Amino acid sequence: MADYISLFVKSIFVDNMIFAYFLGMCSYLAVSKNVKTANGLGVAVIFVLLVTLPINYLLNQYILRPGALAWLDEKYASVDLSFLSFIIFIAVIAAIVQIVEMVVEKFAPALYSQLGIFLPLIAVNCAILGGSLFMQERDFVNVGEAATYALGSGIGWWLAIVALAAIREKLSYSHVPAPLKGLGITFITVGLMGIAFMTFMGIQL
Amino acid sequence: MKDFNLKETLLNPIFKGNPISVLVLGICSSLAVTVQLKGACVMALSVTIVTALSSLVVSLLRNTIPNRIRIIVQLVVVALMVILVDQVLKAFAYPVSKTLSVYIGLIITNCIVMGRIEAFALGNKPIPSFLDGLGNGLGYGLILIVVAFFRELLGSGTLFGFRIIPESFYDLGYMNNGLMILPPMALILLGCIIWIQRAIQKDLQEK
Amino acid sequence: MNTNSNVYTIIYSTILVVVVAAVLAFAASALKPMQDENIKKETITQVLSAAAQADESVTISEDVVAMYAEMAVDAFYVDGNGVIGEHMNIGKENKADIKVESTSYLKAQNDIIKKIEAGQTELLSTLALPVYVIKVNSLTVNVIPCYGAGLWGPIWGYIAVAEDGRTLDGAIFDHKSETPGLGAKIAEKPFYSQFQGKKFGEGEKIFDVVKGGANGAENGVDAISGATITSQSLGKTINTWAKYYQPYLNSLAAQTDTETEESAETEENAEVEDATVTEEE
């Protein structure tokens, strides 16, 4: 249990998708102009991560990694399909995103119209694929760990985008040098937030 | 079909319409590889190849792709290119591919690749699409290399792993800026690059 | 043609999948031998670099495979009880036959170790930990690997242990994704050169990587400042793996002791024996 809590906290604060790995920066910068839409996208990311990561974990464990096919028959034990992992992961993610998109369109049209083109772009959100690739690299012991990691990093991403949106809302009233307006100051803000998040680096639970 | 000035198509994205600093596309993961110049160069090259080739392929297929599965088809084409690049790197440039680790795979979701396919390759002939992809890849690489240059020089005192700042400086009390090698500095450097670019090209400034 | 009909979409995606799968399968199988060769060369380079630290005059040549074939004396697996199992090909007849175990093998072994740590001690005899015996000029060293989790991803390394099963002659470490300039320094010379001349301890603390650890302690080196977690993880990794090599290393130590006793006439050897005795106290 302690392992799960440690993994959870670490993936929110220490291994933060945005501040430590720059994952999902495109939509992060584009949709962080106000807190409400930022919140919507953040929740969508948590949800998609939470669904895709365990699925990809199982696929990796039982199909993709070297020797994974041994459960079918001993003679497949030497098969290594890991070269297919990128394409399988992205296909799973794209399919799930498509489903989420349909569900949101049906049940929350207001949210759908706000998120606009960014919902289909979650498929190409680096945070989602990045989550799966890091999962593959870190080889978690079981699905539970993979899901914990997904939830933690999703919440980390959500936290980062909501915080940035709040700062940007305030920032629009301040006097920023003209060339820095908009994008420039946003980058610098994210950098400073990242430095602030580094204070969590030493924590161990 | 519009006629394009091919040279313009290639050169525009490198400076005036730079995908990172102007269009805010594809900053995603790749900044994480800018700690060292070598990694950044290989990353820049890989992104350029992937963007150019997938733009070319999608442009060739553009009239046959069923609209409903458009995004998936594009993703498959991009993923194909990325896996090929990854496999080739593993076979011929193993040490570099090791340092880039998952970030090669993340080229798939690099917004710049998909962004250019959606915005350009789907509606244009193969040759301009190829050049557009090439130009955007190069423009992207340029930023990566500039950021990596400063991070490696100030953070480790080396360039391409060779010592640039002489030992005598260290004896005089000079220290590497440890902050430079931490992830947030990449963003702050990028902010500064945008600052400089927009101070020069006033028409890019946001209101 | 109607590109939006269901039939067209399905046929289109089928063809796409088949074409893409064919291209990928072809590329992957065509490049596989080269990739495996790269991984093998990397492992060999690391084994040799650890061993070569025993003698400063030895430098790693470009052709590591040939160098390994020349210098390797033996390579085999030991289990957790110190029993020597199967031997690996060291390429005395044909360089292409050389077999070394890459990090993916170490990872699999590490998974078994984790299970043993969790209490499944019956797995001790199923361990097959690789040992590479390398002759560096007049010295013979046993190169043993270690593998574990660092701050961000896996870290691993090779440690060269002298014939007495205690003294370290060299070490080299590598990592997948530690922070460059901080944790990544475990792969740099100032860090790994500290290991030369250190000794594995007895009991629970076989080896340690701690702040100020170099304070005279024989079984510890100084941690990297600013990279506490990587250093601690490395210490733990070395300690854990060394624990399972301990039975084998002990048998080496016992051998050396008897040999020393047999030829204890010369003054030099007597001194060595003295040193061993003091150490055991």
Side-chain angles (χ1 to χ4, degrees):
Chain A
M1 195 60 211
D3 286 356
Y4 288 99
I5 297 174
S6 160
L7 180 66
F8 182 68
V9 173
K10 242 169 85 181
S11 52
I12 297 181
F13 295 109
V14 187
D15 293 9
N16 189 289
M17 287 261 181
I18 295 281
F19 301 126
Y21 300 112
F22 312 100
L23 295 181
M25 284 302 275
C26 310
S27 28
Y28 179 70
L29 293 173
V31 191
S32 59
K33 285 192 181 112
N34 74 65
V35 175
K36 208 166 155 231
T37 33
N39 189 34
L41 186 71
V43 172
V45 167
I46 297 179
F47 180 73
V48 174
L49 262 177
L50 203 51
V51 179
T52 54
L53 223 135
I55 296 180
N56 281 341
Y57 176 81
L58 292 175
L59 283 173
N60 185 49
Q61 209 65 6
Y62 293 106
I63 297 182
L64 295 174
R65 76 190 163 89
L69 287 173
W71 59 274
L72 266 181
D73 194 279
E74 275 304 314
K75 65 174 182 257
Y76 296 124
S78 60
V79 178
D80 178 4
L81 289 179
S82 52
F83 67 93
L84 284 176
S85 40
F86 294 168
I87 213 161
I88 296 223
F89 287 170
I90 198 73
V92 167
I93 291 167
I96 302 262
V97 167
Q98 204 103 56
I99 295 168
V100 171
E101 195 186 346
M102 285 187 242
V103 172
V104 172
E105 193 178 6
K106 180 106 173 64
F107 296 106
L111 184 63
Y112 183 77
S113 61
Q114 267 184 330
L115 292 182
I117 84 161
F118 286 104
L119 210 55
L121 278 184
I122 282 193
V124 287
N125 187 322
C126 325
I128 314 282
L129 181 65
S132 289
L133 292 178
F134 278 120
M135 167 274 292
Q136 192 183 28
E137 189 178 291
R138 289 183 194 168
D139 55 290
F140 294 120
V141 191
N142 54 41
V143 185
E145 274 194 7
T148 314
Y149 175 70
L151 184 65
S153 40
I155 292 179
W157 203 89
W158 169 83
L159 193 68
I161 194 170
V162 172
L164 180 67
I167 295 177
R168 282 181 82 174
E169 276 186 4
K170 292 268 180 285
L171 212 58
S172 56
Y173 300 111
S174 44
H175 299 285
V176 177
L180 264 180
K181 257 190 190 146
L183 195 55
I185 195 73
T186 311
F187 272 123
I188 293 178
T189 313
V190 178
L192 293 175
M193 286 166 75
I195 293 177
F197 261 68
M198 301 208 71
T199 41
F200 295 113
M201 210 145 111
I203 55 169
Q204 243 179 346
L205 287 176
Chain B
M1 189 69 57
K2 281 178 283 178
D3 268 335
F4 280 100
N5 180 342
L6 291 182
K7 195 177 151 204
E8 191 72 354
T9 318
L10 179 64
L11 292 182
N12 187 41
I14 299 182
F15 303 105
K16 261 177 88 186
N18 190 290
I20 294 191
S21 62
V22 181
L23 302 176
V24 213
L25 279 179
I27 336 140
C28 294
S29 47
S30 308
L31 280 182
V33 301
T34 54
V35 176
Q36 272 148 353
L37 204 47
K38 197 166 140 208
C41 286
V42 176
M43 191 68 185
L45 191 67
S46 315
V47 171
T48 310
I49 293 171
V50 170
T51 329
L53 288 183
S54 30
S55 281
L56 178 70
V57 172
V58 171
S59 173
L60 284 171
L61 295 173
R62 70 186 186 281
N63 292 327
T64 67
I65 300 176
N67 198 34
R68 264 185 296 170
I69 55 165
R70 196 184 74 231
I71 299 268
I72 302 236
V73 172
Q74 291 165 7
L75 275 178
V76 167
V77 171
V78 176
L80 172 70
M81 296 302 165
V82 171
I83 297 177
L84 290 179
V85 167
D86 182 46
Q87 296 284 329
V88 169
L89 280 183
K90 269 190 194 147
F92 298 106
Y94 185 69
V96 190
S97 102
K98 237 180 48 177
T99 58
L100 295 180
S101 71
V102 300
Y103 290 100
I104 284 287
L106 285 172
I107 298 179
I108 300 178
T109 52
N110 194 318
C111 316
I112 190 180
V113 186
M114 289 294 283
R116 289 327 289 170
I117 291 178
E118 278 282 306
F120 198 94
L122 271 180
N124 288 291
K125 285 187 179 152
I127 305 258
S129 299
F130 178 75
L131 290 178
D132 178 73
L134 197 65
N136 275 288
L138 291 174
Y140 176 86
L142 182 73
I143 301 272
L144 276 196
I145 289 168
V146 171
V147 173
F149 176 84
F150 285 109
R151 284 183 80 187
E152 190 175 347
L153 183 65
L154 300 176
S156 317
T158 56
L159 284 178
F160 286 111
F162 294 111
R163 188 143 292 286
I164 296 293
I165 296 175
E167 289 293 335
S168 53
F169 274 48
Y170 290 95
D171 297 339
L172 291 173
Y174 175 84
M175 294 246 284
N176 286 328
N177 184 350
L179 208 54
M180 274 293 169
I181 44 186
L182 297 173
M185 279 316 280
L187 292 164
I188 294 181
L189 268 177
L190 194 53
C192 295
I193 291 175
I194 293 173
W195 189 356
I196 295 167
Q197 193 191 15
R198 293 192 176 178
I200 298 168
Q201 296 178 10
K202 294 231 160 40
D203 54 319
L204 290 174
Q205 291 176 9
E206 289 171 47
K207 293 274 146 43
Chain C
M1 194 168 21
N2 177 13
T3 55
N4 280 326
S5 76
N6 280 342
V7 178
Y8 181 84
T9 308
I10 291 169
I11 294 176
Y12 192 90
S13 33
T14 318
I15 294 177
L16 188 75
V17 166
V18 171
V19 170
V20 167
V23 171
L24 284 184
F26 174 75
S29 48
L31 295 173
K32 186 96 181 135
M34 274 181 261
Q35 294 170 356
D36 289 345
E37 192 64 27
N38 280 332
I39 295 174
K40 192 163 123 185
K41 263 192 197 152
E42 191 197 22
T43 311
I44 292 178
T45 312
Q46 290 182 336
V47 169
L48 287 181
S49 325
Q53 288 168 28
D55 189 332
E56 275 176 19
S57 63
V58 179
T59 47
I60 308 290
S61 67
E62 280 290 300
D63 191 357
V64 285
V65 181
M67 193 173 163
Y68 180 82
E70 195 184 306
M71 287 167 68
V73 182
D74 199 355
F76 48 82
Y77 304 93
V78 292
D79 72 2
N81 300 319
V83 179
I84 295 177
E86 216 179 302
H87 289 256
M88 287 179 254
N89 195 316
I90 50 169
K92 287 289 178 234
E93 280 128 41
N94 185 356
K95 276 188 289 182
D97 291 337
I98 292 181
K99 184 167 162 58
V100 286
E101 292 296 357
S102 67
T103 47
S104 54
Y105 178 83
L106 299 182
K107 192 174 106 185
Q109 291 299 314
N110 194 46
D111 289 342
I112 302 179
I113 289 183
K114 271 194 228 158
K115 279 184 197 153
I116 299 175
E117 293 277 295
Q120 288 174 266
T121 39
E122 72 275 10
L123 290 173
L124 265 178
S125 56
T126 62
L127 275 178
L129 306 170
V131 177
Y132 308 96
V133 185
I134 311 280
K135 198 158 178 66
V136 188
N137 294 339
S138 59
L139 296 161
T140 309
V141 293
N142 291 269
V143 179
I144 59 170
C146 61
Y147 181 99
L151 171 64
W152 306 112
I155 48 177
W156 62 92
Y158 294 87
I159 301 172
V161 187
E163 270 178 299
D164 65 0
R166 289 280 170 271
T167 317
L168 309 189
D169 276 332
I172 195 150
F173 301 98
D174 205 353
H175 61 96
K176 194 144 189 179
S177 38
E178 299 308 296
T179 322
L182 294 172
K185 279 193 185 154
I186 57 168
E188 289 170 18
K189 198 170 179 202
F191 177 73
Y192 66 67
S193 59
Q194 293 185 74
F195 282 75
Q196 204 171 17
K198 295 283 174 185
K199 279 179 169 36
F200 275 152
E202 305 269 348
E204 278 301 298
K205 264 278 161 282
I206 299 174
F207 205 82
D208 211 359
V209 181
V210 279
K211 252 194 198 122
N215 277 346
E218 284 212 300
N219 63 339
V221 291
D222 203 356
I224 296 164
S225 59
T228 324
I229 297 184
T230 308
S231 309
Q232 280 173 356
S233 318
L234 183 66
K236 196 172 149 231
T237 301
I238 298 174
N239 206 35
T240 314
W241 276 67
K243 194 160 92 195
Y244 293 96
Y245 276 109
Q246 192 88 321
Y248 168 72
L249 295 175
N250 280 341
S251 69
L252 280 184
Q255 256 174 33
T256 336
D257 282 353
T258 26
E259 276 167 28
T260 339
E261 269 165 40
E262 277 165 13
S263 55
E265 276 107 52
T266 55
E267 227 172 293
E268 203 183 325
N269 278 345
E271 261 170 44
V272 174
E273 199 193 358
D274 275 352
T276 345
V277 172
T278 346
E279 186 200 319
E280 275 164 6
E281 286 163 359

